[in-house]
Amino acid sequence: AQSVTQLGSHVSVSEGALVLLRCNYSSSVPPYLFWYVQYPNQGLQLLLKYTTGATLVKGINGFEAEFKKSETSFHLTKPSAHMSDAAEYFCAVTLREYGANSKLTFGKGITLSVRP
Amino acid sequence: NAGVTQTPKFQVLKTGQSMTLQCAQDMNHEYMSWYRQDPGMGLRLIHYSVGAGITDQGEVPNGYNVSRSTTEDFPLRLLSAAPSQTSVYFCASSYNDRALETQYFGPGTRLLVL
């Protein structure tokens, strides 16, 4: 079985500040991990994904995430927040043995607000 | 290239009514899926299809029906709407069901059941 935990439902940062959105996963076997972003009144869009290889993954819009097996974490970061980053962010996991979109488990989501 | 399109954008139903949510993609994707999004619960998979004529249940299939007669279209039917089905519904597609393939999401349908 697999699950993801996104602690808290809302994060607020100032423009230009570091963005850190936390995601912890639970799986008994190696996972594939994903971050999706949902802008207001839109569908989800893939930000980045970790499958195998390099544990630091770079995505679109300056975001990156690091897979830390020892901490079972896949936290999303961006060095400098922009007003356009305000959105809801979802972490998702599937087991590598399935490797299927139909086996994705999504977290509850975190709303990011950016203050001018 | 329109991507994934969904209609309607918003719908109000009375309890017991039926309706069909439409989803279409023009990317020749084999895999299509339906999710519902509820506050504080993330996205949950309702039904999915790995190709024309093939459908399967996801995590929360009760009260919903699907069919896949063409590669492009994947409608979701609510047989007898209930207030618990008030939600935002997203359709998604990818080249195949492999998680290495990026899923593309439609803009969603907001459904209110009174």
Side-chain angles (χ1 to χ4, degrees), chain A residues 89-112:
Chain A
Y89 293 80
F90 293 91
C91 184
V93 64
T94 185
L95 302 184
R96 198 178 297 176
E97 64 180 343
Y98 299 140
N101 280 325
S102 57
K103 301 295 186 186
L104 268 181
T105 297
F106 285 85
K108 295 181 178 182
I110 298 176
T111 299
L112 175 67

Side-chain angles (χ1 to χ4, degrees), chain B residues 9-104:
Chain B
K9 283 187 169 49
F10 183 70
Q11 183 72 46
V12 179
L13 289 180
K14 294 181 180 178
T15 297
Q17 287 185 317
S18 63
M19 79 160 293
T20 299
L21 280 63
Q22 301 292 345
C23 173
Q25 53 88 12
D26 61 359
M27 297 174 282
N28 201 31
H29 285 171
E30 291 297 324
Y31 179 77
M32 296 185 74
S33 59
W34 277 102
Y35 290 92
R36 60 177 289 171
Q37 182 181 27
D38 301 294
M41 300 191 71
L43 273 72
R44 291 180 292 169
L45 184 64
I46 305 171
H47 285 287
Y48 65 95
S49 168
V50 297
I54 306 169
T55 63
D56 207 344
Q57 295 181 354
E59 181 186 355
V60 289
N62 292 340
Y64 307 95
N65 235 352
V66 292
S67 60
R68 184 100 179 266
S69 55
T70 67
T71 298
E72 295 78 19
D73 301 298
F74 190 44
L76 178 72
R77 296 182 189 84
L78 279 69
L79 309 172
S80 177
S84 60
Q85 293 179 304
T86 292
S87 187
V88 182
Y89 291 84
F90 289 100
C91 180
S93 74
S94 56
Y95 183 70
N96 56 41
D97 190 21
R98 295 182 67 211
L100 296 178
E101 298 293 336
T102 298
Q103 282 199 96
Y104 296 88

